[in-house]
Amino acid sequence: MAEFFDEGARVAVLTTQPLDRLLTYRAPEGGCWEGAFVEAPLGPRRVMGVVWGPGEQGFDASKLRALVRVLDVPPMRAEMAEFLTRVGDYTLTPMSFMLRLATRAPGLTNPPSMRKIYRLGHREPDRMTEARERVLEVLESQAQSAFTLKELAEEAGVTSSVVKGLVKQGAVEEEESPRDLPFAHLDYTAKGKDLTGDQATASEALRAGVRSGDFGATLLRGVTGSGKTEVYLEAVAECLSQGRQALVLLPEIALTSEFLKRVEERFGAKPAEWHSGVTMTERRRVWRMVAEGGAQMVIGARSALYLPFRDIGLIVVDEEHDSSYKQEDGVLYSARDMAVLRGSINGAQVVLASATPSLETWANAEAGKYKRLDLTSRFGEAVLPEMRAIDMRNESLPGNRWISPTLATAVRGRIEEGEQALIFLNRRGYAPVTVCRACGHQIGCDHCDARMVEHRFLKRLVCHQCGESKPMPEACPTCEAVDKLAPVGPGVERMAEEVAEVFPDARVAVLSSDLFASARALKAQIELIAAGGADIIIGTQIVAKGHNFPKLTLVGVIDADLGLQGSDLRAAERTFQLIRQVAGRAGRGDVAGLALLQTFQPEHPVIRAILSGDEESFWRSEASERQAAGVPPYGRLAGVVISSPEIDPAMSLGTALARADAPIRKIGGQVFGPAPAPIARIRGRHRVRLLVKAPKSAPLQSALRAWLAPFDLKGDIRLSVDIDPQSFY
Ligand code: ADP
Ligand code: ZN
């Protein structure tokens, strides 16, 4: 039970300020509960904080300041405080950062009030302009969302006078609305689709888990199109019928609109949404409604895990293998793993859904820690695509051409039948490298140890590390030769050029995340493709993520070997997942699909595993290799990156750390490095890496703390620790 503190009592307060400790205050007028969100005076400022518990008694009472007031938001629940503490402990993140993650909604300190919001009106404007059209489009496409004037103008990319003009004409309506209205009720009694035998068994198992009211984690494995979504929506229905809340995490914002539609079909209304594309006004509403119980279900990105659910009963992590669940800057956490932690604290069921689970999850299921449910066939007529390799050693291709004659013939056959073909290449831009044919210089980023990627569409060179871009130079920056710069290797934009030459009459659509100015534009392209508005789709990995293109029957993978290079511990697993996922896009309708993999090494074990489709044996062999090497999921890793504007201080700190490795050795662990990181410079900072390896059951975090504690970071040196690192850049 939360404790109540009378006015004047000492309380410890956690604030979002980067301090390493709790601050002691006196409870404000009227007293406060443990967990209350409060405004606290700090120097000349007022900051937000949470009452964390009783304050220290040591201080001189006369020097203690009183909290200003208790904010009008529901107090933080004990489970949430525990969750934040445990994520902070696990990831070695200071609590002030954790609190920031949990309060990423603006205006929490403002009292509830009326404000003007803007909705679609009933009249047509007298005259349509491009700007007006954009405003109406935004309102149409996000009808459930509340917009303030500023947000609407920003989202549509117009000035606020355009919106006001539309209000005058009655095409947009302005209304006074209380902030933070509850979400429409989701009718969980509505009947879902009739499930097949497999689906019904899986759904019943998940429902039973939810009914138990206890924690449990389940791997829901099924090929794309097998009905995983239908099955876990049944678990959502059960959860809502218990009066508890459900959270569904998706790896990609572009997937939300399709998903919202399905929820609406199933439950008669849309759930709350939480991701970077949601307006600030809406975020505040979601945060509050989740806390008050005015939102039954949330669809979100990984940060939705930190929403203040009143009573969460189910967390679904869809496409659980997706690497975007790992947050790679700020607080480094895996949303998949933290979802399981949150479920265990809240007595919630956690469902990890995937066609190609991560080895971690597969191993947890093998070990009996997670239940496992399998959907073995596709729903309805659809069958899994056939997979074949194209041995590139036997294909004759001129230079700067990547579509083999065999693939070209197959594509032609499909589009002549009115079907769609996908050309897959996981590389954005036009060409990964630009080289000077006179002196051999390769154009690199000024701030990073990376080559710049030509983006012909933008007419610029872009650094994929730091985002820096510059115009394509006319002359070589080194030897100044003119007209000698040449692209090397393909990106999707270059594939589009080749496709236009090989198939001059085909309608081509390119799907690459950087080609779209907004999530809306990307969504429009996806809808166009789904409706059959393109014959050939050229795509990067965003096409691998769950979109449903019924006319797509052929997938051609331009470079199946791409992910196999490099020393990354997960190279094989990632390649396997990505290619199986992409291939799974083919043949979801009633025509059987075919996937063709262009490869120079068709006998490579990973390529063979992909082709054979024998996933269990792939995982088993991958698992035994990792077990032998003592790496995750059978051992533990932590990455340490030290960065600084000069290389020397970073390297000397690294060397000193490596020498002081006693606390790590004590738990049976080892420190490797220091070594320059694979990308040795990013944004002008030199980077040095160390890697810590420890046995699975070792107390890694406390050893890391003991190891790092004696070292002060001097000057402009930064150090970050990545527990369970996913990428090693
Ligand atoms: P997954 O999530 O495994 O990719 P989905 O749940 O999206 O699969 O199902 C694929 C398609 O098949 C969807 O259009 C879905 O509506 C349909 N479907 C799946 N199961 C059923 C069912 N039992 N009855 C009717 N349609 C179904
Ligand atoms: Zn850069």
Side-chain angles (χ1 to χ4, degrees):
M1 263 313 282
E3 194 175 339
F4 186 80
F5 300 99
D6 290 323
E7 181 173 345
R10 289 168 189 236
V11 291
V13 174
L14 172 66
T15 70
T16 52
Q17 301 304 303
L19 303 165
D20 241 356
R21 61 201 159 86
L22 300 175
L23 300 175
T24 303
Y25 289 95
R26 287 167 190 281
E29 199 184 321
C32 60
W33 286 97
E34 190 178 355
F37 283 89
V38 292
E39 199 171 83
L42 188 69
R45 288 178 309 145
R46 289 176 173 190
V47 300
M48 190 181 51
V50 174
V51 176
W52 211 249
E56 273 181 57
Q57 291 305 324
F59 294 111
D60 176 356
S62 64
K63 290 206 178 119
L64 281 185
R65 298 172 78 179
L67 292 170
V68 181
R69 66 186 171 110
V70 174
L71 300 175
D72 182 26
V73 287
M76 182 183 285
R77 312 184 69 86
E79 311 95 74
M80 186 67 184
E82 182 182 348
F83 178 57
L84 295 180
T85 306
R86 292 196 34 199
V87 176
D89 281 350
Y90 190 86
T91 58
L92 304 186
T93 305
M95 285 307 289
S96 55
F97 287 87
M98 294 311 304
L99 182 59
R100 267 190 237 172
L101 261 184
T103 52
R104 287 216 313 214
L108 286 180
T109 50
N110 304 340
S113 61
M114 304 293 279
R115 42 80 213 249
K116 285 198 177 102
I117 60 160
Y118 294 78
R119 296 187 187 287
L120 207 55
H122 297 289
R123 258 176 273 150
E124 288 289 311
D126 55 356
R127 181 173 56 80
M128 197 54 111
T129 64
E130 209 188 303
R132 287 181 164 184
E133 208 160 314
R134 282 206 300 274
V135 173
L136 298 179
E137 214 179 277
V138 168
L139 290 174
E140 254 162 41
S141 67
Q142 301 181 45
Q144 81 280 17
S145 209
F147 289 92
T148 62
L149 182 59
K150 187 158 161 271
E151 285 166 349
L152 180 53
E154 251 165 38
E155 180 77 11
V158 302
T159 60
S160 50
S161 60
V162 175
V163 176
K164 287 199 175 133
L166 285 166
V167 171
K168 257 193 213 125
Q169 309 235 320
V172 170
E173 276 170 12
E174 182 182 80
E175 59 185 81
E176 285 284 336
S177 157
R179 282 178 185 265
D180 313 330
L181 287 176
F183 285 82
H185 180 75
L186 303 184
D187 180 10
Y188 46 80
T189 61
K191 202 176 149 339
K193 302 206 160 96
D194 289 326
L195 299 180
T196 64
D198 259 6
Q199 292 175 343
T201 311
S203 140
E204 194 33 58
L206 293 184
R207 275 179 176 271
V210 172
R211 268 196 303 271
S212 76
D214 291 333
F215 163 66
T218 306
L219 163 60
L220 176 60
R221 209 206 127 223
V223 294
T224 29
S226 58
K228 293 185 294 299
T229 312
E230 298 298 335
V231 168
Y232 72 66
L233 285 177
E234 293 303 307
V236 170
E238 184 71 49
C239 173
L240 301 186
S241 82
Q242 308 276 321
R244 304 183 79 189
Q245 294 164 301
L247 168 65
V248 175
L249 297 180
L250 300 177
E252 174 87 33
I253 308 180
L255 291 171
T256 39
S257 65
E258 239 171 279
F259 192 79
L260 290 174
K261 248 186 257 158
R262 284 183 75 165
V263 174
E264 193 175 16
E265 279 165 23
R266 178 73 177 77
F267 299 119
K270 288 198 172 111
E273 256 182 277
W274 180 271
H275 52 70
S276 57
V278 170
T279 64
M280 287 299 164
T281 309
E282 186 69 5
R283 274 187 187 225
R284 174 185 143 119
R285 173 184 178 213
V286 173
W287 196 95
R288 285 196 168 239
M289 287 305 120
V290 164
E292 288 172 13
Q296 294 162 286
M297 180 180 183
V298 179
I299 309 299
R302 54 186 179 226
S303 61
L305 269 181
Y306 301 95
L307 283 170
F309 288 93
R310 200 183 61 167
D311 183 13
I312 189 162
L314 174 68
I315 306 174
V316 177
V317 184
D318 202 353
E319 311 283 357
E320 67 86 32
H321 63 278
D322 199 287
S323 56
S324 69
Y325 282 122
K326 179 68 192 282
Q327 165 99 11
E328 295 284 9
D329 50 38
V331 180
L332 309 176
Y333 67 93
S334 152
R336 178 196 64 217
D337 298 348
M338 296 308 117
V340 174
L341 174 63
R342 179 125 209 215
S344 74
I345 294 173
N346 282 72
Q349 290 286 313
V350 180
V351 176
L352 308 175
S354 176
T356 52
S358 60
L359 190 70
E360 273 84 357
T361 299
W362 180 85
N364 278 327
E366 283 288 293
K369 279 206 252 168
Y370 298 172
K371 278 181 286 227
R372 174 169 166 173
L373 299 167
D374 282 273
L375 302 176
T376 46
S377 56
R378 284 190 162 181
F379 177 74
E381 300 297 305
V383 289
L384 276 178
E386 185 192 338
M387 304 232 200
R388 265 187 257 146
I390 296 178
D391 188 340
M392 294 301 278
R393 293 169 304 193
N394 305 331
E395 299 279 326
S396 64
L397 266 177
N400 290 339
R401 279 279 197 273
W402 290 275
I403 300 175
S404 65
T406 307
L407 179 57
T409 308
V411 170
R412 201 164 288 121
R414 295 287 168 157
I415 59 183
E416 276 165 9
E417 295 295 320
E419 296 162 24
Q420 286 175 329
L422 166 69
I423 303 278
F424 175 77
L425 176 65
N426 197 17
R427 236 192 218 147
R428 293 178 289 136
Y430 184 83
V433 179
T434 302
V435 69
C436 170
R437 273 174 298 166
C439 73
H441 173 76
Q442 300 186 349
I443 299 188
C445 175
D446 298 336
H447 315 287
C448 304
D449 182 22
R451 296 192 192 93
M452 291 196 100
V453 178
E454 181 183 357
H455 284 243
R456 209 160 267 198
F457 189 75
L458 301 171
K459 300 197 179 61
R460 293 182 84 80
L461 291 163
V462 180
C463 170
H464 284 186
Q465 290 312 321
C466 70
E468 176 80 1
S469 74
K470 57 187 174 196
M472 188 71 177
E474 307 251 308
C476 170
T478 310
C479 75
E480 292 174 6
V482 179
D483 286 339
K484 289 288 182 197
L485 293 175
V488 179
V492 277
E493 292 176 21
R494 199 168 191 185
M495 291 312 304
E497 223 172 71
E498 184 174 345
V499 164
E501 281 168 36
V502 181
F503 310 99
D505 300 325
R507 295 166 303 157
V508 178
V510 183
L511 266 187
S512 174
S513 55
D514 57 310
L515 293 177
F516 299 92
S518 67
R520 211 162 4 101
L522 175 60
K523 191 183 132 204
Q525 177 83 314
I526 288 168
E527 280 168 6
L528 177 98
I529 295 170
D535 304 310
I536 301 179
I537 304 146
I538 301 165
T540 60
Q541 51 146 0
I542 60 169
V543 299
K545 297 189 181 184
H547 303 292
N548 192 354
F549 301 132
K551 286 196 158 61
L552 181 66
T553 60
L554 174 71
V555 170
V557 178
I558 292 297
D559 187 354
D561 309 331
L562 189 60
L564 294 176
Q565 302 137 6
S567 55
D568 194 318
L569 130 86
R570 293 186 177 79
E573 182 188 349
R574 292 240 188 282
T575 303
F576 182 82
Q577 287 161 341
L578 186 60
I579 296 183
R580 298 281 308 176
Q581 289 277 342
V582 171
R585 299 299 118 204
R588 292 184 59 133
D590 44 11
V591 181
L594 172 65
L596 294 173
L597 276 50
Q598 298 196 148
T599 171
F600 284 93
Q601 34 187 341
E603 61 294 312
H604 190 290
V606 175
I607 301 288
R608 292 219 324 243
I610 293 169
L611 292 172
S612 76
D614 185 355
E615 307 192 346
E616 296 300 326
S617 74
F618 170 74
W619 280 316
R620 263 193 292 278
S621 79
E622 186 66 15
S624 65
E625 274 177 37
R626 299 239 198 126
Q627 206 149 18
V631 294
Y634 304 98
R636 306 200 56 196
L637 291 180
V640 175
V641 172
I642 304 166
S643 74
S644 113
E646 305 296 330
I647 177 95
D648 288 347
M651 199 45 103
S652 1
L653 175 58
T655 311
L657 277 168
R659 270 199 218 111
D661 65 350
I664 303 294
R665 274 188 284 115
K666 208 161 126 196
I667 60 162
Q670 274 171 289
V671 175
F672 298 91
I679 300 170
R681 199 167 57 114
I682 296 184
R683 290 192 185 88
R685 299 182 69 87
H686 292 270
R687 307 170 73 244
V688 168
R689 274 193 81 103
L690 296 115
L691 189 66
V692 177
K693 199 174 139 187
K696 177 131 178 116
S697 55
L700 179 60
Q701 278 81 353
S702 57
L704 287 170
R705 272 191 210 97
W707 178 46
L708 297 171
F711 292 87
D712 270 339
L713 298 183
K714 293 194 200 75
D716 200 4
I717 292 197
R718 282 182 220 148
L719 182 148
S720 77
V721 181
D722 186 359
I723 307 283
D724 311 330
Q726 289 287 314
S727 56
F728 296 82
Y729 62 92

